[in-house]
Amino acid sequence: MKNEDRLVIALDVSQEKKQVEQAYLDPTGVSAPLYLNAIWRLNREYGGTIDTEKLKLVAHFEQTQDIDRLSIVIVCAVSTCDQHYVIPGLNLELTLKEGDYLRLHEGEGVSCKYTLEQIKTFITKGNQTLKNIWIDDDKHVSLCCIGKN
């Protein structure tokens, strides 16, 4: 970045735990296909027979105030019974006990949440400066304007 350049980025702001978890698993079930798509593709493309009706979606918000870590949302499918599957295309067998978790996303979390202090810390560590920040009235999203030191 040049001195006159600016980067504007939207970042989720940390919120109340229950509110975040409900947002990622809306009670209407609209978001379920998004999370279950990976299993459906595994079944379709590799011959798996995983029964998504025997899985229950759960979201967990790991919230931290540590300025060097992010709060993250983890979404998993929990087995509602003991089950065993063969996935021929991967030469793999999968045994799930009741209560076992399957992570449905790559990486540490499906979404990151930030406190204002975490935002400032990460920008500073990137050798940049927070020029301005706007946060919506409900404190869900921040819009950050970042520039060179």
Side-chain angles (χ1 to χ4, degrees):
M1 285 177 61
K2 298 177 186 167
N3 286 339
E4 63 275 8
D5 291 341
R6 297 292 180 266
L7 171 66
V8 177
I9 185 169
L11 299 172
D12 287 350
V13 181
S14 289
Q15 303 161 42
E16 190 268 320
K17 181 178 176 71
K18 187 174 180 179
Q19 183 182 25
V20 171
E21 290 174 349
Q22 287 178 344
Y24 280 83
L25 288 178
D26 74 90
T28 65
V30 171
S31 60
L34 172 70
Y35 300 124
L36 294 175
N37 185 54
I39 295 172
W40 294 336
R41 286 192 64 195
L42 187 67
N43 285 343
R44 184 176 62 247
E45 295 173 19
Y46 294 98
T49 57
I50 298 171
D51 185 353
T52 55
E53 295 295 317
K54 294 181 181 177
L55 301 171
K56 176 185 175 189
L57 292 176
V58 296
H60 176 67
F61 182 38
E62 290 185 1
Q63 192 172 25
T64 181
Q65 298 298 315
D66 182 344
I67 61 170
D68 290 316
R69 290 188 53 232
L70 300 177
S71 296
I72 58 172
V73 178
I74 298 169
V75 178
C76 297
V78 179
S79 180
T80 60
C81 60
D82 292 351
Q83 42 189 323
H84 180 82
Y85 298 105
V86 176
I87 306 168
L90 296 176
N91 196 28
L92 180 72
E93 292 189 30
L94 175 66
T95 300
L96 298 171
K97 300 274 187 205
E98 182 177 352
D100 281 353
Y101 285 77
L102 285 176
R103 280 225 178 160
L104 298 177
H105 51 82
E106 188 175 347
E108 198 172 341
V110 71
S111 181
C112 297
K113 308 291 181 199
Y114 305 82
T115 64
L116 183 55
E117 289 305 313
Q118 290 166 336
I119 291 170
K120 289 177 182 177
T121 298
F122 292 128
I123 291 170
T124 301
K125 283 185 174 188
N127 202 27
Q128 303 296 315
T129 301
L130 181 61
K131 299 292 185 181
N132 208 337
I133 186 168
W134 302 269
I135 301 176
D136 68 317
D137 291 339
D138 294 327
K139 295 186 172 54
H140 291 283
V141 178
S142 65
L143 191 60
C144 303
C145 180
I146 302 167
K148 293 283 279 181
N149 283 338

